[in-house]
Amino acid sequence: MRGLLRGLSRQAGQAPGTVGGPRAPAAGPVRLRTLVYTADACEARDQPDAQACFAAVREGAVTWINVDGLHDAQVLQAVGARFGLHPLVLEDIANPSQRPRCESTEAYLFLTLKMLRPDPSGDGLLAEQVSLIVLPGVVVTFQEAPGDVFDPVRERIRTGAGRVRAAGADYLAYALLDAVVDQYFVLLEAASEQAQALEEAALGGDPVAFVRALQAHKRELIALRRAVWPLREVLTALERTEPRVFEPATRPYLRDLYDHTIQAIDAVEVLRDVFAGVQDLHMTHVSNRMNEIMKVLTMIATVFIPLGFLAGVYGMNFERMWPVEAAWGFPALLGVMAALGLGMVVWFRRKRWL
Amino acid sequence: MRGLLRGLSRQAGQAPGTVGGPRAPAAGPVRLRTLVYTADACEARDQPDAQACFAAVREGAVTWINVDGLHDAQVLQAVGARFGLHPLVLEDIANPSQRPRCESTEAYLFLTLKMLRPDPSGDGLLAEQVSLIVLPGVVVTFQEAPGDVFDPVRERIRTGAGRVRAAGADYLAYALLDAVVDQYFVLLEAASEQAQALEEAALGGDPVAFVRALQAHKRELIALRRAVWPLREVLTALERTEPRVFEPATRPYLRDLYDHTIQAIDAVEVLRDVFAGVQDLHMTHVSNRMNEIMKVLTMIATVFIPLGFLAGVYGMNFERMWPVEAAWGFPALLGVMAALGLGMVVWFRRKRWL
Amino acid sequence: MRGLLRGLSRQAGQAPGTVGGPRAPAAGPVRLRTLVYTADACEARDQPDAQACFAAVREGAVTWINVDGLHDAQVLQAVGARFGLHPLVLEDIANPSQRPRCESTEAYLFLTLKMLRPDPSGDGLLAEQVSLIVLPGVVVTFQEAPGDVFDPVRERIRTGAGRVRAAGADYLAYALLDAVVDQYFVLLEAASEQAQALEEAALGGDPVAFVRALQAHKRELIALRRAVWPLREVLTALERTEPRVFEPATRPYLRDLYDHTIQAIDAVEVLRDVFAGVQDLHMTHVSNRMNEIMKVLTMIATVFIPLGFLAGVYGMNFERMWPVEAAWGFPALLGVMAALGLGMVVWFRRKRWL
Amino acid sequence: MRGLLRGLSRQAGQAPGTVGGPRAPAAGPVRLRTLVYTADACEARDQPDAQACFAAVREGAVTWINVDGLHDAQVLQAVGARFGLHPLVLEDIANPSQRPRCESTEAYLFLTLKMLRPDPSGDGLLAEQVSLIVLPGVVVTFQEAPGDVFDPVRERIRTGAGRVRAAGADYLAYALLDAVVDQYFVLLEAASEQAQALEEAALGGDPVAFVRALQAHKRELIALRRAVWPLREVLTALERTEPRVFEPATRPYLRDLYDHTIQAIDAVEVLRDVFAGVQDLHMTHVSNRMNEIMKVLTMIATVFIPLGFLAGVYGMNFERMWPVEAAWGFPALLGVMAALGLGMVVWFRRKRWL
Amino acid sequence: MRGLLRGLSRQAGQAPGTVGGPRAPAAGPVRLRTLVYTADACEARDQPDAQACFAAVREGAVTWINVDGLHDAQVLQAVGARFGLHPLVLEDIANPSQRPRCESTEAYLFLTLKMLRPDPSGDGLLAEQVSLIVLPGVVVTFQEAPGDVFDPVRERIRTGAGRVRAAGADYLAYALLDAVVDQYFVLLEAASEQAQALEEAALGGDPVAFVRALQAHKRELIALRRAVWPLREVLTALERTEPRVFEPATRPYLRDLYDHTIQAIDAVEVLRDVFAGVQDLHMTHVSNRMNEIMKVLTMIATVFIPLGFLAGVYGMNFERMWPVEAAWGFPALLGVMAALGLGMVVWFRRKRWL
C-alpha cells in the first residue's frame, strides 16, 4: 500500500509554490549529467552543479540535462531561474505524488509521468516520478533517485542507432516517453505471467497466502492503471497544444505512442478480468475441496451411527433379549450390520452422494 | 450516518429565500473577525457586529471578513444588504447541507464547499460547510462553527510568507480553497493508514467489529467523495466564469488546485479499491479459519466413530462372542483399534485432508 | 412492487391521443378549485365545472386551476379545448405512468412529474403524477387524487408571505415544483433514518424479515430515483426552452431548484451505498453468529467423543480387561477421562479455536 | 437461449447482399396482403403475388403492403426492384438477426425492429423481426411469420378511429411502430407480475427450479433490452434524417413514441433491479432455512452426546462403581441426566442459540 | 491466457520503427501470393519474392498481394520501400500484438485487425493479426501464418460471384474485412452453443472442471471483445478519413459492416450475461446439492442419537433398573424406540425439513 498513496499530504500547510521545505530528506548530493549530441558527435558528462550543466548547452546541438534526486532545492531553483519555469511547476517537480500531466506555455513544455520498475527487493513495484522540461534544443529530466529505464535511449544516442541523433529535442522527449511506456509493457507481461502462476496456486496451497498474493498483484495493477490512464489524456493534450513543440516528422511517433498507451490500458483491463477469474477459480476450488472432505466424513459417521445404535441395543442389560442366548446370535447380528452398512453405501452411491 | 445527510429537509415548507426560521438553534453569539492587509501592513481584529466589519473595509487593501456561526439571521441579512447578495445565496449560506457549487454574478462570486476535519471525539469526520463571497478587495467567509483549517493562511498573511500579501482578494480566495483541499489530503493519508491497520485487523479479531470499522471508513470515504467530486466541476466553472474574478497571475494556481482535486478524486477511488480488497481478505480469512477448525474437529469425530462402534459390538451381551473369553482378546482388540485409528489418520494425510 | 410499474400497458391497443377509455375507473366526481390572486387580493374557490374555472380567469391576476382526479375525460377535453393543448398532452395527463418530462410550445408549457408521499397505510410510498400547464397568467395542475404537498404554497399565497403574490404565473409554477422537490427531501431524510434503524436491526432479529424490509426500502429508493433523475433533464430543458416562460427574476430560483435536484440525486446515491453497507453488515453478522454456534457445539461433541469411546472400551464384555477388577480402576479411569477432556479444552484454547 | 442469438452466423461465407441462399427453409408460400385507404374508403385484400400488390397502389391513397414470410427470395427481389432498394437492405430484411436500426435514402426510409410476443407454447418470448419500407404513399412491412401485433392498427383503419385514415403513410408507419412498442409494455407488465410471483416462489420450493425460472425471466429482459435500447437511437435518427419523411403534424407523435421508448428502457432497468432483489431474497431464505435446520439438529445432538457419555460410563464393567449397587442409583442418575439436559437447553436459550 | 497478452513487451528497448530484431523466430520462408483480376479475367499465383509480386501489379486490374509470415524483415522492407510506408507502419505490421486500428495518409490506408479462429488443437481461440495496406488498385495483406478465413473471398473472385470482380481495390478490402467479421459470428454462434452445453454441465459433474471450462469460455469472449470493440472505432474512422479510399458505391457496404460489428459487440455482451447466469446456476446447484446431502445425513444422525442414548441408559450396570427384569421390557423398549424414531421423522416432515 505504501507506494500507492505515498506523500499525499506533504504540501499541506505550506505556501503554494514552495519547493523543498521541512520534509525534504538530506539524501546525499544530487547527481547531474549532461548528454550533448548532434548528428555527428555526442558527449556525455557528469556535472558538478547546475551552472556547469547550463554551460554545456550548445546552439545547434541537443542537450539532455538529467537530474537524479529532487531534494536539493537549490538545483531546482537554478533550473527554474535559467529556463523561466513557473514556481508551481517547480513545486510539482519536487513533489513526487503528482498525477501524470502536462502543461505547456509559450516558452516550454512541462511533462510529469510515472516510471514503474519492479522493486529490487523483489516485492511489488517501485513508482518513481519523472518530470520533463522540453525547450528548443534542450530537454531537462528530473528523477527521484538514480537508476532509470533510459539506458536504451542513451545507448541509441551513443551508437547513433535509429533516428534520435538526426532529430531534435522533441524526438528525444518522445524517445524518453517511449522508454517509460515500453517498461509498462515489460511489467504487464510479468503480471501476465504472475497471473498464470497464480492460476496454478489457486488450486492448492494456503488460501490466505493466495489471497494476499492476489491482492499484491491487484495493487500492482492499480499502480499501473494510475500511471497509464492519465498518460492517455497527457498524450491527447500534447497533440493539441500550441505552439507545437513536436515537429511534423515526430508526430506520427507520438500517435504511435498514444496507440501503445491505449494498448497498455487495454492490457491492464484484461488483466483485471483475468485476476478476477483466478479468484473465482480459487474460491470454487476451496469450497469444493471442503465440501468433498465434509461429505466423505459425514458419510462415514452416518454409516456407523445406525450400526452403533444396533450394538447399543444388544448391549442393554434386559433379562430376556432375543436372540442373545442363541449360538448364532452374534454372527447373525454381525451379518445384519455388514448388510446394513453395505446397503447404505450402495444407496449413497445410487443417489450420487459418493 | 448522521453527518452524511444532515439537515436535508429543513427548508421544506418554507418560502424559498428564507433565512433562519424556526429550526435555527440559538447557539450563542456569532463570532465576527476581520483581517485587513496590504503588501506592507496587516491587522486582525474581532468585531462586535456586521457594521463594524463593513467599516473595516479599506480601499487599496484586501479585507477578509470571517463569520463563525450561521444561526444569526441578522448578520446574514446585513451582509446580504451590504454586498447586494441574492436572497437564494443567503439561503444557501444559511443551509449547511449544500452541495459544493459556485455562482457568479456581475458583482460577486459565491462559492460553497465542504471543510472536512477528523471529529475531535475521535470517531469519524466532521463535515462543515464553508461559503465564500469574493468581491473586489473583499472576501467574506461563513463557517458553521469556530475552528477551521485556515490557520496556515492567517499565519502566511501575518508573516508575509509566500505571495499572499502582495496579491489581491482573488489570491486570498484561492489560498482558502487550497487550505481546504490540503486538508482533504491529510484525511486521505489518514484513511490510507487506517486501511493498512484494517488489513492487519482483517486477519484476527471480532468480525462484526471489523465490518463495523470497515463501514465507518467507507462512510468517511463517501463523505470525502461528496466533498471532492463536485469541487471538480466548481473549479472548472471558475475558469469559465465571466467577468473573470481571478487575475491572470492567479489562474495557474487555480489550475494547480484543479490538478490537486483530480489527484484527491483519484486517491479516493484507489482507497475504495483498497478497502474492497481488505474486505475480501477478511472474508477469506474468516471462512478459511472456520474451515480449518471444522475439518480438524470432524476428523477427530470421524476417527473415533468406527472405533466406538467396535467397542459397542463387544459391549453386546450375546452369550457367545468370539474371542471374548480368550485372555488375549482385550489387548488384541485394542491393537486392532489402534491400527484402525492410525490407518485412518494416514489415509486422511494421504488425501491431504489434514 | 405495485407502485413501481403501475399501469404500464394501459394505452396498448388504443389510438394514440385517446383520453379516458375502457380502463378509467368511475371514482366519483372530479374536484376543481381555482385560486386567483394579485399583489393585493386573493380568492380561493371550489368550482362546479370546467367552464366556471375558465370564467374565474382574470386579466392582470394569476389564476391557479387545480384538478383532483384524472378519470373525467370531459374535464380534460374542456381544458384541452380552452387552452389549445395537443391531444398527446391530454393523453399524457390522463395516463399516470408518465416519466417526468416537459414540453413547450409557442402557447404553453407542459410539465409532468411525480409527487411522492408516504403511503398513509404506513407501508411504502405513494407515487402520484402531477401535471402542470403554464400559460401567461394561468397555471393548471392535474393530480390523480385529492391530497397533495401544495398546502404550504397555498398558505404563502393566502398570507402573502415570500415573493409569490408579487410575482407572476411562472413563479407560481416554480413554487409548485419546489414544493414537490422539498417533499423528496422529507422522504430522503426518512429513508436516512430508516437506514439507521435497519443498521441496528441488521445485528439481530429474523433475517428474512430484515431482507424484506431492506428490499422495501431499496424499492422506495428506486421510486425516488425514477422521480428525481428525469427531473434533472426537465429542469435543464426548462432553461433552454424558447419562448422563455420563466422571467429573468424567476430564473435564479429555477437554478436553485436544479441544484436541489442534484442534491437529491446525490443523496439517493449515498443512500444506495448505505443500504448496501447495511446488507453487508447483516450478512457478516448472520454468518458470524452461525459460525460461533457451530464452533462451540462441535467442540462439545468433539470433547465427548473420545471420552465416550473410552467408556465404550470398558463397557466391553471381555473376560479379562485390566484394570477392571481393581478397586481403583473406576476412579482412575474417571480421572484419566477428566484429564483428557481438560487437555482437549486447553489445546483448543491454545489454538484460539475457543 | 435459442431466441437470443438465433441465426447469427448465417451469412458467413456468402457474398454480401445475397438474399435467400442455402439456409432459407421452404416454409410454404409467403402471404401477401394490401390495405389501401383514403379518408373516405378502405379496402383490405389478400394478393397472389408481388405484382398484384404493386398494382393495388393508388395515387392519393395510402397503401400498406404486408409480407408474412421472408423465405421467398423472389418476392423480396420483386419488392427491391419495384421500389429501388439497395441489395444490402434486402439482405437485412431477409436476415432475421438484425439489430433494430434505420436507414434513409432520397427515395425511401428503411426501418427494422423486433416484434416480441409471448411464445404460444407458454415458455419465453418469441422475437420476430419486422422491417418497414416507407415511401410516399406506401408502407411495405415484412414479417417472419403470420401473426402480429398490428391488428389494433388494422381495426382503427377499418373503423376510421383516430387520425390514421386522415393522415399519410408517415402516420401509418408511426402507428405500426407504436403498436410494436405498446406490445413491449404488455410484456413489461407481464414481467412485473412474474417478478411478484417469483418473489413468493423465492421463499419456498426447489432452489434449482427457482434459479432456472429467474434465469428465464432475466433472459426475457435481455431480449427486451436488445429490442428497446437500439430503438432509442433509431427514433433519434428518424428525427434527424433528411429529407424528412415525417410531416410536421406527425412529429409530435414521434416524440411521444420516443418518450414511451425511454419509459420502456426505464422499466427494463427497474425490473433488472427487482429481479436482483428477488435473487437476494431467495439466497437469504435458503441459507437462513438451512442454518435454522442445522442449528436445531446440532443442538439435539449436542444435548444427547454428554448424556450418552454418562450412560456409557455406567455401562462399564468395573467391579466397583459407585453407586451402582445402591437402589437409588438408577433413578438418581436419570435425574442427573434430566437436569443436565434441561440445563443445556436453558443455557442455549440464554445465549439465544435456540 | 497465452493468446491474450502475447508478445506485449517485445519492442521494449528497441528503437521505434525497428522491424524484426533479436526476437523474430526463423520460421521457414515467407509465402507470397498474388491474385490479379479484372471484370473479365483472374489469375492467382505463388511468387518467389517481393519483387515478383510488385511485377505482377497491372494497371487497370486489382492486385491482391498476400504475405503469410511476418518474420522476414526483408520482405517487409521491400514492401515498405515499394509503397512508401512509414517505418512505424512496418513495425506495427511486424508486431502481432497490435490493437485493431487504422491509419490513413495521402498515399495509402493502413488497417490492422484480429483474425480469430478456433485453435485446431480444439482448445481455445487462435488470434492472428492481419494487416491490410490499401492503395489504388492494390491491396497488400500480411498474416502471421498460413491458413486464413479469406477462402470464400478467393472463391468469389475466381468464380466471379457477387460484385467483387466488377469493383475496385476498395471493395476487395471491404470483402476481406467482411470475411474477418463473418468469422466472429461463427465463433459467437459456437460460444452460444457452448453456453448451452455449459448450462447442462452446470447441473452435474466436477465443479473445478466446470469453472475451468467457464473461465476458458470467458477468456475466448475477452479475446472476441478485444478484437471487436476497437473495430468499431476503426470503421467509424474509415468513414471519416480523407482522401476517401472507399468509393460511394462501396460505402453502404462499409456501413453494413459497421452494423454487423455493432451486432457482434451486442452478442458478446449478451453472452457475458449468459455466462454469468450459467455460473449463478452452477453455484446454486452445487450449494443446493451439498445442502440436500448434509440435511439428510444430519437427519439420520439426529434420529439415532436419542435412540442410542436410550440404549446406553439400559446398557448401564445398575443393580436395579426398572423394567430390566420384566419379560416385556426388551420388546417394550424397542417399541418405544421405534415410536420415538418415527415421531421425529414425522416432526421433521411437518417442519418441511425433509
Side-chain angles (χ1 to χ4, degrees), chain E residues 48-305:
Chain E
D49 57 29
Q51 298 313 323
C53 292
F54 306 149
V57 175
R58 262 192 301 129
E59 192 68 25
V62 176
T63 310
W64 172 15
I65 303 174
N66 185 49
V67 182
D68 283 334
L70 309 172
H71 52 278
D72 188 341
Q74 277 165 341
V75 169
L76 287 175
Q77 305 283 21
V79 172
R82 172 70 174 78
F83 298 115
L85 306 182
H86 195 278
L88 285 170
V89 164
L90 288 182
E91 190 194 353
D92 284 352
I93 292 171
N95 178 355
S97 69
Q98 289 306 306
R99 202 171 175 263
R101 66 192 193 83
C102 77
E103 200 162 310
S104 88
T105 68
E106 296 286 314
Y108 58 87
L109 172 74
F110 167 62
L111 273 169
T112 181
L113 67 167
K114 294 290 172 205
M115 186 163 71
L116 298 175
R117 280 177 305 163
D119 193 322
S121 76
D123 193 27
L125 294 181
L126 218 66
E128 196 179 321
Q129 176 163 312
V130 181
S131 305
L132 282 88
I133 307 287
V134 187
L135 305 121
V138 180
V139 173
V140 191
T141 54
F142 297 89
Q143 306 179 38
E144 293 183 50
D148 57 34
V149 300
F150 297 146
D151 283 336
V153 180
R154 288 192 190 96
E155 188 65 24
R156 288 211 304 273
I157 294 176
R158 209 174 46 235
T159 59
R163 286 188 70 234
V164 67
R165 281 276 283 277
D170 61 332
Y171 189 88
L172 175 60
Y174 152 74
L176 296 173
L177 293 177
D178 190 57
V180 169
V181 173
D182 272 1
Q183 181 63 18
Y184 295 163
F185 283 99
V186 173
L187 295 172
L188 281 167
E189 188 138 320
S192 161
E193 271 159 34
Q194 287 159 351
Q196 224 160 339
L198 263 184
E199 198 177 1
E200 272 146 44
L203 298 176
D206 178 25
V208 169
F210 171 81
V211 172
R212 268 175 181 279
L214 193 65
Q215 305 273 11
H217 292 319
K218 279 186 174 173
R219 256 176 229 147
E220 288 180 18
L221 264 193
I222 293 178
L224 267 163
R225 281 192 96 197
R226 292 187 80 209
V228 179
W229 270 98
L231 203 55
R232 183 188 191 169
E233 299 158 35
V234 168
L235 290 170
T236 309
L238 276 192
E239 290 211 62
R240 277 197 252 105
T241 45
E242 292 289 341
R244 296 215 159 203
V245 175
F246 289 92
E247 288 170 29
T250 312
R251 269 178 232 157
Y253 291 90
L254 216 58
R255 266 201 301 281
D256 191 67
L257 188 57
Y258 178 79
D259 286 331
H260 284 183
T261 307
I262 299 284
Q263 222 172 316
I265 287 172
D266 226 54
V268 166
E269 299 308 314
V270 166
L271 279 172
R272 271 161 68 104
D273 274 6
V274 166
F275 279 128
V278 167
Q279 192 163 11
D280 269 19
L281 188 63
H282 174 70
M283 277 164 60
T284 305
H285 166 70
V286 165
S287 90
N288 185 49
R289 202 143 164 277
M290 200 63 213
N291 281 354
E292 284 303 309
I293 294 176
M294 296 303 285
K295 212 161 69 181
V296 170
L297 296 188
T298 310
M299 296 276 167
I300 290 176
T302 307
V303 166
F304 280 103
I305 280 173

Side-chain angles (χ1 to χ4, degrees), chain A residues 1-2 4-17 23 86-88 91-92 95 97-99 101 103 206-208 211-212 215 218-219 222 225-226 230 272 279 282 286 289-290 292-294 296-298 300-301 304-305 307-308 310-312 314-318 321 323-327 329-331 333-334 337, chain B residues 152 156 161-163 171 174-175 178 182-183 185-189 192 195-196 199-200 203 249 252-256 259-260 262-263 266-267 270-271 273-274 276-281 284-285 287-288 290-292 294-295 298-299 302 305-306 309 312-323 344 347-348 351-354:
Chain A
M1 206 151 332
R2 230 149 291 150
L4 271 187
L5 297 171
R6 186 169 45 111
L8 268 182
S9 71
R10 77 127 145 239
Q11 76 266 48
Q14 259 179 266
R23 282 237 232 159
H86 196 277
L88 286 170
E91 190 194 352
D92 284 351
N95 177 356
S97 69
Q98 289 306 307
R99 201 170 176 263
R101 64 190 194 86
E103 200 162 311
D206 177 24
V208 170
V211 172
R212 268 177 181 279
Q215 305 273 11
K218 278 186 175 173
R219 255 176 230 148
I222 293 178
R225 281 193 96 199
R226 292 188 80 209
R272 271 161 68 104
Q279 191 164 11
H282 174 69
V286 165
R289 203 146 161 275
M290 199 63 213
E292 283 303 309
I293 294 176
M294 296 304 286
V296 170
L297 296 188
T298 309
I300 291 177
F304 279 104
I305 280 173
L307 301 186
L310 264 190
Y314 283 97
M316 294 191 296
N317 292 318
F318 284 97
M321 297 199 303
V324 162
E325 289 92 1
F330 185 55
L333 190 69
L334 289 185
M337 283 173 165
Chain B
R156 289 211 306 271
R163 288 187 70 234
Y171 189 88
Y174 153 73
D178 191 56
D182 272 3
Q183 181 64 17
F185 282 99
V186 174
L187 294 173
L188 281 167
E189 188 138 320
S192 163
Q196 224 160 340
E199 198 177 1
E200 273 147 43
L203 298 177
Y253 292 90
L254 216 60
R255 266 201 301 282
D256 190 67
D259 286 332
H260 283 182
I262 299 284
Q263 224 173 313
D266 227 51
V270 166
L271 280 172
D273 274 6
V274 167
V278 168
Q279 191 163 11
D280 269 18
L281 187 63
T284 306
H285 165 71
S287 91
N288 185 48
M290 199 64 213
N291 281 354
E292 283 304 310
M294 296 303 285
K295 210 161 70 179
T298 310
M299 296 275 169
T302 307
I305 280 173
F309 168 68
V313 163
Y314 283 97
M316 292 192 297
N317 291 318
F318 282 97
E319 293 291 305
R320 300 187 192 174
M321 298 199 302
W322 182 83
M344 284 174 81
W347 185 59
F348 289 159
K351 289 218 143 193
R352 302 235 169 129
W353 291 357
L354 265 176

Side-chain angles (χ1 to χ4, degrees), chain D residues 2-340:
Chain D
R2 231 148 292 149
L4 273 185
L5 297 170
R6 186 167 45 110
L8 270 179
S9 71
R10 78 130 144 231
Q11 76 266 49
Q14 260 180 266
T18 310
V19 172
R23 281 240 231 158
V30 161
R31 187 183 177 197
L32 296 159
R33 278 178 290 174
T34 53
L35 182 54
V36 185
Y37 64 88
T38 60
D40 308 315
C42 146
E43 189 188 24
R45 189 171 288 183
D46 271 278
Q47 302 284 4
D49 57 28
Q51 299 312 325
C53 292
F54 306 150
V57 175
R58 262 192 302 128
E59 193 69 25
V62 176
T63 311
W64 172 13
I65 303 174
N66 185 49
V67 182
D68 284 333
L70 309 173
H71 52 278
D72 189 341
Q74 278 164 338
V75 170
L76 287 175
Q77 305 283 21
V79 172
R82 172 71 175 75
F83 298 114
L85 307 181
H86 196 278
L88 285 170
V89 164
L90 289 182
E91 189 195 353
D92 284 353
I93 292 170
N95 177 357
S97 69
Q98 289 306 306
R99 204 171 174 263
R101 66 193 193 82
C102 76
E103 201 162 311
S104 88
T105 68
E106 295 287 314
Y108 58 87
L109 172 73
F110 167 63
L111 275 168
T112 180
L113 67 166
K114 293 290 172 205
M115 186 163 71
L116 297 176
R117 281 177 304 164
D119 193 322
S121 76
D123 193 27
L125 294 180
L126 218 66
E128 196 179 320
Q129 175 163 312
V130 181
S131 306
L132 283 88
I133 307 288
V134 188
L135 305 121
V138 180
V139 173
V140 192
T141 53
F142 296 89
Q143 305 179 39
E144 294 184 50
D148 57 33
V149 298
F150 297 147
D151 283 336
V153 180
R154 289 193 191 95
E155 187 65 25
R156 289 212 304 273
I157 294 176
R158 210 176 44 237
T159 60
R163 287 188 69 235
V164 66
R165 282 274 284 276
D170 61 331
Y171 189 87
L172 174 60
Y174 152 73
L176 296 174
L177 293 177
D178 190 57
V180 168
V181 172
D182 273 2
Q183 181 64 16
Y184 294 163
F185 282 99
V186 174
L187 295 172
L188 281 166
E189 188 138 317
S192 162
E193 272 158 34
Q194 286 159 352
Q196 224 160 338
L198 262 184
E199 199 176 0
E200 273 145 44
L203 298 177
D206 177 25
V208 169
F210 171 82
V211 172
R212 269 175 181 279
L214 193 66
Q215 306 273 11
H217 292 319
K218 279 185 174 173
R219 256 176 230 149
E220 288 181 18
L221 266 193
I222 293 178
L224 268 162
R225 282 193 96 198
R226 293 187 79 209
V228 178
W229 271 99
L231 203 55
R232 183 188 193 169
E233 300 158 35
V234 168
L235 289 169
T236 310
L238 275 191
E239 291 212 61
R240 277 198 252 105
T241 44
E242 292 289 342
R244 297 213 157 204
V245 174
F246 289 93
E247 288 170 30
T250 313
R251 269 178 232 157
Y253 292 90
L254 216 59
R255 266 202 300 282
D256 191 68
L257 188 58
Y258 178 79
D259 286 332
H260 283 183
T261 307
I262 299 284
Q263 221 172 315
I265 287 172
D266 227 54
V268 166
E269 299 308 313
V270 166
L271 280 173
R272 270 161 69 103
D273 274 7
V274 167
F275 279 127
V278 167
Q279 191 163 13
D280 270 18
L281 187 64
H282 175 69
M283 277 164 60
T284 306
H285 165 71
V286 164
S287 91
N288 184 49
R289 200 142 166 277
M290 199 64 213
N291 281 355
E292 284 303 309
I293 294 176
M294 296 303 285
K295 211 161 69 179
V296 170
L297 297 189
T298 310
M299 295 277 166
I300 290 177
T302 307
V303 167
F304 280 103
I305 280 173
L307 301 186
F309 166 68
L310 264 190
V313 163
Y314 283 96
M316 293 192 296
N317 291 320
F318 284 97
E319 294 291 304
R320 300 185 194 176
M321 297 199 302
W322 181 85
V324 162
E325 288 94 3
W328 50 266
F330 185 55
L333 189 71
L334 289 186
V336 166
M337 282 173 167
L340 196 65

Side-chain angles (χ1 to χ4, degrees), chain C residues 25-58:
Chain C
V30 161
R31 187 182 176 198
L32 296 160
R33 279 177 291 173
T34 53
L35 183 54
V36 185
Y37 62 88
T38 61
D40 309 314
C42 146
E43 189 188 23
R45 189 170 290 183
D46 271 280
Q47 302 285 5
D49 56 29
Q51 298 311 327
C53 293
F54 304 150
V57 176
R58 263 193 301 127

Side-chain angles (χ1 to χ4, degrees), chain C residues 325-343:
Chain C
E325 288 91 3
W328 50 266
F330 185 55
L333 189 70
L334 289 185
V336 166
M337 282 174 167
L340 196 65
L342 277 172

